[in-house]
Amino acid sequence: MSPQEKQSNPRNLGDIGYQFLLGAAIGLILAWIPLAITMPTLTLWNILAVATLVLACGTFSALLGKRFLKALLHFLESFPPIA
């Protein structure tokens, strides 16, 4: 097997953007978990924390691709059902 066969196809800008949006959406779901438990007050720090979490998940998803998304989804599956 040659080294080129082991490499995956290079990602284009559309794939990177799609993975960023998926990571940001999953980050938003992660940010909503505390809302299912308690209703925190809407302060500047809470808004910044949510924005940071969403942007961090989107950025890591865009950079690392499916490896990060799989790990993030596995983390979400570890939570017990709410209802």
Side-chain angles (χ1 to χ4, degrees):
M1 188 182 295
S2 68
Q4 286 189 344
E5 290 178 13
K6 291 181 181 180
Q7 294 177 352
S8 62
N9 294 333
R11 299 185 305 163
N12 59 15
L13 190 59
D15 290 339
I16 293 171
Y18 179 70
Q19 288 177 346
F20 176 83
L21 290 176
L22 278 176
I26 294 171
L28 191 59
I29 291 170
L30 280 174
W32 282 340
I33 289 174
L35 291 176
I37 299 169
T38 180
M39 188 63 168
T41 59
L42 192 61
T43 63
L44 178 64
W45 295 111
N46 290 345
I47 294 170
L48 288 176
V50 168
T52 302
L53 179 67
V54 169
L55 289 175
C57 287
T59 303
F60 287 137
S61 175
L63 292 176
L64 301 176
K66 291 182 181 178
R67 291 180 293 158
F68 181 74
L69 287 173
K70 284 181 185 178
L72 201 55
L73 287 175
H74 181 68
F75 174 70
L76 280 177
E77 289 174 355
S78 68
F79 284 106
I82 294 172

